[in-house]
């Protein structure tokens, strides 16, 4: 989609968090009411007819648009967090990252087999975190699962999208 306003407001920080990396900072999109409206409108258009019942926001930038879109779609929000952040019984998924491993979790009663789930996060690069979140959600056997990001990075030889099955619809608002 690469909306011109979103592209103009996306902050790119060279050599962060390490030399050679260009960090795409979505906080500049979040602080702009116009950009928030554009992103919510674009997401709504993609998912309005998909029957979404739950939106899983990935910690922490995924929470922002997951909540706004859920209100508009009439869906619930599920928080996907690092261990120890959720108060009730959880289901976990561990995964390997570029420099080690991590674990994410959601509440055990967050999703049912009747749900149609949208997983949402800010950025798709290597795809490791979202793939773990996807695997975690599949433990609940939902009717259908969709995956969405604000930004997909492809210009650095990254192919995070390839981690998802062909039948899994993956969408992004911005591709760089």
């Amino acid at each position: 989609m690469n909306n011109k306003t979103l592209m103009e407001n996306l902050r790119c920080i060279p050599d962060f968090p390490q030399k050679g990396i260009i960090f795409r900072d979505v906080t500049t999109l979040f602080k702009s009411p116009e950009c928030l409206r554009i992103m919510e409108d674009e997401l709504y258009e993609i998912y309005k007819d998909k029957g979404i019942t739950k939106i899983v926001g990935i910690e922490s930038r995924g929470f922002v648009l997951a909540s706004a879109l859920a209100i508009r779609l009439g869906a619930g929000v599920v928080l996907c967090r690092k261990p120890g952040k959720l108060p009730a019984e959880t289901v976990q998924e561990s995964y390997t990252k570029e420099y080690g491993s991590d674990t994410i979790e959601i509440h055990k009663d967050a999703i049912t087999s009747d749900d149609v789930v949208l997983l949402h996060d800010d950025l798709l690069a290597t795809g490791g975190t979202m793939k773990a979140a996807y695997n975690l959600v599949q433990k609940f056997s939902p009717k259908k699962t969709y995956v969405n990001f604000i930004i997909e990075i492809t210009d650095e030889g990254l192919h995070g999208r390839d981690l998802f099955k062909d039948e899994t619809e993956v969408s992004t608002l911005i591709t760089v």
Side-chain angles (χ1 to χ4, degrees), residues 2 45 58 60-61 92 101 105 114 132 136 141 149 153:
N2 285 3
E45 287 303 314
I58 311 301
S60 65
R61 291 179 294 266
Q92 295 185 336
S101 63
E105 59 186 22
D114 291 327
L136 182 56
S141 302
F149 302 90
I153 299 174

Side-chain angles (χ1 to χ4, degrees), residues 53-122:
T53 59
K54 300 278 175 55
I55 302 178
V56 177
I58 311 301
E59 186 169 337
S60 65
R61 291 179 294 266
F63 297 166
V64 177
L65 286 175
S67 299
L69 184 60
I71 291 168
R72 194 151 174 204
L73 291 176
V77 174
V78 174
L79 303 181
C80 183
R81 304 210 60 192
K82 296 186 187 276
K85 302 289 186 178
L86 296 171
E89 192 174 350
T90 62
V91 177
Q92 295 185 336
E93 181 77 16
S94 295
Y95 61 103
T96 304
K97 296 179 9 175
E98 196 172 348
Y99 303 105
S101 63
D102 213 340
T103 300
I104 54 173
E105 59 186 22
I106 60 176
H107 279 136
K108 191 174 187 176
D109 62 354
I111 297 169
T112 72
S113 59
D114 291 327
D115 283 318
V116 176
V117 178
L118 170 61
L119 287 150
H120 172 76
D121 204 1
D122 66 324

Side-chain angles (χ1 to χ4, degrees), residues 109-148:
D109 62 354
I111 297 169
T112 72
S113 59
D114 291 327
D115 283 318
V116 176
V117 178
L118 170 61
L119 287 150
H120 172 76
D121 204 1
D122 66 324
L123 182 77
L124 173 59
T126 62
T129 302
M130 182 60 84
K131 180 60 175 169
Y134 178 87
N135 291 343
L136 182 56
V137 166
Q138 296 317 296
K139 292 177 181 181
F140 294 91
S141 302
K143 287 182 182 177
K144 179 91 174 150
T145 305
Y146 298 91
V147 175
N148 172 264

Side-chain angles (χ1 to χ4, degrees), residues 6-19:
L6 297 181
M7 294 298 289
E8 289 172 352
N9 283 276
L10 179 63
R11 179 170 35 206
C12 297
I13 303 169
D15 299 324
F16 183 84
Q18 64 187 37
K19 191 166 182 60

